[in-house]
Amino acid sequence: MGLVIKNAIIVNNDKIWDRPQDILCEDGKIVKIVSSINAGGHETVDAKGKKVLPGLIDIHVHLRQPGREDKETIETGSKAAVKGGFTTIMCMPNTNPVIDNPMTVEYIMHEANRVGLCHVYPIGSITKAQKDEELTDMAELKAAGCIAFSDDGKSVLNSRLFRLAMEYAKMLDVLIIEHCQDPLLTSGGVMNEGAVSTRVGLKGDPGIAETVTVGRDIEIARYLDARVHLAHMSLKRSCELIRWAKSQGVKVTAEACPHHFSLTDEACASFDTSTKVNPPLRAREDVQAIKEAIADGTIDCIVTDHAPHTKEDKEVGFDGAPFGLIGLETSLGLVIKELVKPEIINLPKMVDKMSTAPAKVIGLKSKGIIKEGFDADITIIDENKEWTVAKEGFVSKSKNSPFIGWKLSGQVECTICNGKVVYKV
Amino acid sequence: MEWKRKHLLGLEELSKQEIQLILETATSFKEVSFRDIKKVPALRGKTVVTLFFEASTRTRVSFELAAKRLSADTLNIAINTSSTSKGETLLDTAKNIEAMNVDAMVVRHGLSGSPFILAQGLNCSVINAGDGCREHPTQALLDMFTLKEKFGHLEGLKIALVGDILHSRVARSNIWGLTKLGAQVTVCGPATLMPRGIEQMGVGVDYDLKRVLKNSDAVIALRLQKERQEAKFLPSLREYSRLFGINQDKLSEGSSNLIVMHPGPTNRGVELSAEVADGKQSVILEQVTNGVAVRMAVLYLVLGTKEEVVI
């Protein structure tokens, strides 16, 4: 038995279709898109009045399993993902143990399969135990299922090692994702360095900690003619450097997170530790610049950097609290509220940033577009529906969101992964 | 005007009128400490706890004497921060103490913003005795009280804050308070210890100490923590002292009416030469005396007693 989506107004990255279509999904694939399909014998989903998008893809998520199952598990993280409209997520390797060996990769994929809600691709670490000393066995990790590598949570500070990683990854045709931050410059900073950190007496993390690393990575990528993907860009200056690099033909791609275009560092003055995130919330001009960079293509993907933390871990004061906030369940609503409604981007461009481009960056060739022959990963949304973020509403195990109480636009009505309904509002 | 706040967390959120009310109340309390019987019954039956997560002698003793001179019962708790890092959060600790029915908690903690965590989670009054690099409101209030005593007013006074501005909660509270009351504040110190965007707090920045002294009515030298040199903010203490230490020679650039203040404890020979610290322009010990009066005023106001001030 297949699945038929009736009356689908399809939004791909190139356009919104004029007329509603019926979509037939069988064996995990989209097999037919025509104006009318006899649904006899198939499960049906009526999308009348809604928009039908290729399943959202988030290439930057922390699932915490193995190691910190009190914060999140593959199961609760998958639930949060499909509730947020994501059918594919990639999880970062800063778990315990670190994803630097095939066994951990297999464990995560096995558990994700058992849960069976969305596709989960583990990201391998660039260096063993993320210690910035030796490269991981990337070929073996690739064979186990890793299609990207990152030491996310920190930079590969050793520039020579980073160069070697990029060369090796180029040979294997896997993506290097870099967390750009020079820890010597950050030097224990807990929020953006600027007038607000000065006023509230919190230790500042200067933007140059990010931009000098962005500059370094662009230079290494240019020199090697290798690909590099820069994670969670937060600064105006980073966007300028990337824009320039792209104009020179450097193979750099970049991502940004909803919190970096929805909040400024002024939010940290509340001392609410859910505003403590790495890289930190920045100044107004940076927020504006990130929006522009998303609109003009400098930033390729929108990701959440979903980083769950328990109440106990976060409730220790601003200096001591871990960095990170949860984002899977609020991402789409923030994108529509902050970017689509103010007409910074339109719906097809949103689809590009949240599905088509991430699929392309990561090399998932049958995802990111609603098209016959592509994977049956589909997200149905009502982009005009407003809802209020409530603490009790989160299905993530952690509730560390600075957006609690915010009114967002755009709700996920139904998420379909592998041709099966995995979430319905 | 009437005092309406339950807590004193900083001077940032206070109005000019509220600061003036504290200073006026302190004026009436100052005399109590000069009596033979140094006690008034204003807070009889109230319990004031000092909860200090950082070492302090002066501030803690000053609060304790202030509470005692108002007839409150006092309890002092000093907590080694390492024991709180073993699971019990700051709020847990404070809630346990509050459960024994205390009326006010005077808290010093190394985390900026920690008094907000407590004020949100506790029912008793919270008085900030210094939080991280953010605020030390009663120190600034006693500085302002001392300046007002010396000059009769704060409006139009030119005040210099000299030293480690980056890490100084005393500087921040003084900037809030002094600028609200119409004083003109200049900060002076090594560029590596000058926080980014400080001018947005309404102060001038000048790296030339002699010029600053020449143009000031009073100078508040800030304590330099020895760790700052270890963290490479400074080439050496000797070099610091050479550029930003106040000695008689540099002091003579200014008016003979210029007064020298310091929140203590002083590193003699670093921030101030012994000669200056003990000299006739120094009002350091008067600051300490005034600290008790100011803290009496703060305790009295936040504990919201409706009785007439009995003096």
Side-chain angles (χ1 to χ4, degrees), chain B:
Chain B
M1 82 163 282
E2 204 189 327
W3 183 264
K4 293 205 177 77
R5 290 178 192 273
K6 189 175 166 189
H7 311 290
L8 178 69
L9 307 182
L11 299 191
E12 178 179 1
E13 59 271 23
L14 296 196
S15 67
K16 179 179 178 177
Q17 289 73 23
E18 286 173 306
I19 295 171
Q20 281 169 334
L21 178 63
I22 299 173
L23 297 179
E24 282 158 24
T25 310
T27 307
S28 50
F29 278 128
K30 183 169 176 180
E31 177 264 338
V32 174
S33 295
F34 290 88
R35 289 186 195 174
D36 189 22
I37 295 168
K38 301 175 182 60
K39 218 176 187 59
V40 291
L43 297 184
R44 192 164 55 202
K46 303 278 186 189
T47 306
V48 175
V49 172
T50 65
L51 179 60
F52 276 57
F53 293 86
E54 281 184 348
S56 157
T57 310
R58 199 169 316 236
T59 305
R60 194 191 56 70
V61 168
S62 180
F63 266 110
E64 185 181 357
L65 282 177
K68 287 192 158 136
R69 286 180 186 169
L70 293 168
S71 302
D73 295 310
T74 61
L75 178 69
N76 302 310
I77 305 171
I79 294 180
N80 174 349
T81 2
S82 64
S83 66
T84 53
S85 58
K86 287 175 190 155
E88 191 180 41
T89 65
L90 165 67
L91 190 57
D92 282 337
T93 310
K95 275 187 168 168
N96 275 279
I97 296 162
E98 190 193 34
M100 295 178 241
N101 299 90
V102 308
D103 300 289
M105 219 174 284
V106 176
V107 185
R108 169 170 291 187
H109 197 284
L111 290 177
S112 300
S114 47
F116 287 95
I117 299 175
L118 296 182
Q120 281 160 17
L122 298 176
N123 293 313
C124 70
S125 288
V126 175
I127 297 167
N128 181 9
D131 65 320
C133 303
R134 197 186 69 96
E135 285 226 38
H136 189 354
T138 57
Q139 177 66 44
L141 288 165
L142 75 88
D143 291 342
M144 292 160 76
F145 184 90
T146 307
L147 286 163
K148 209 174 160 210
E149 263 193 348
K150 290 291 158 193
F151 294 97
H153 61 95
L154 291 168
E155 181 89 40
L157 282 187
K158 291 175 181 165
I159 314 294
L161 290 159
V162 176
D164 177 2
I165 310 296
L166 178 61
H167 299 97
S168 179
R169 54 196 175 208
V170 174
R172 284 175 181 76
S173 285
N174 264 306
I175 291 169
W176 289 122
L178 287 166
T179 54
K180 280 178 191 184
L181 270 73
Q184 219 177 301
V185 179
T186 300
V187 292
C188 177
T192 48
L193 292 170
M194 194 60 74
R196 207 172 160 82
I198 186 78
E199 59 291 340
Q200 291 184 37
M201 290 180 79
V203 301
V205 180
D206 195 336
Y207 299 106
D208 182 343
L209 179 60
K210 282 190 176 175
R211 181 168 57 212
V212 167
L213 291 173
K214 198 181 257 175
N215 296 322
S216 298
D217 297 305
V219 57
I220 302 174
L222 301 167
R223 183 174 161 76
L224 184 79
Q225 306 282 349
K226 293 264 163 51
E227 308 83 280
R228 306 306 171 213
Q229 196 232 321
E230 288 153 26
K232 324 284 187 238
F233 284 106
L234 301 168
S236 69
L237 291 180
R238 185 168 166 271
E239 173 117 334
Y240 175 83
S241 174
R242 184 188 171 90
L243 288 177
F244 299 102
I246 301 172
N247 56 22
Q248 205 56 53
D249 176 46
K250 287 182 202 151
L251 198 58
S252 64
E253 292 285 325
S255 144
S256 58
N257 294 323
L258 183 140
I259 64 168
V260 177
M261 303 167 74
H262 192 292
T266 314
N267 294 307
R268 288 177 174 244
V270 182
E271 304 110 37
L272 300 176
S273 68
E275 209 181 4
V276 169
D278 303 330
K280 61 180 194 306
Q281 286 169 268
S282 161
V283 295
I284 294 173
L285 291 175
E286 287 172 62
Q287 288 175 268
V288 179
T289 305
N290 291 335
V292 178
V294 161
R295 290 175 177 122
M296 286 170 81
V298 167
L299 285 168
Y300 174 79
L301 291 169
V302 301
L303 284 172
T305 173
K306 297 287 175 216
E307 296 162 47
E308 275 303 302
V309 185
V310 187
I311 298 176

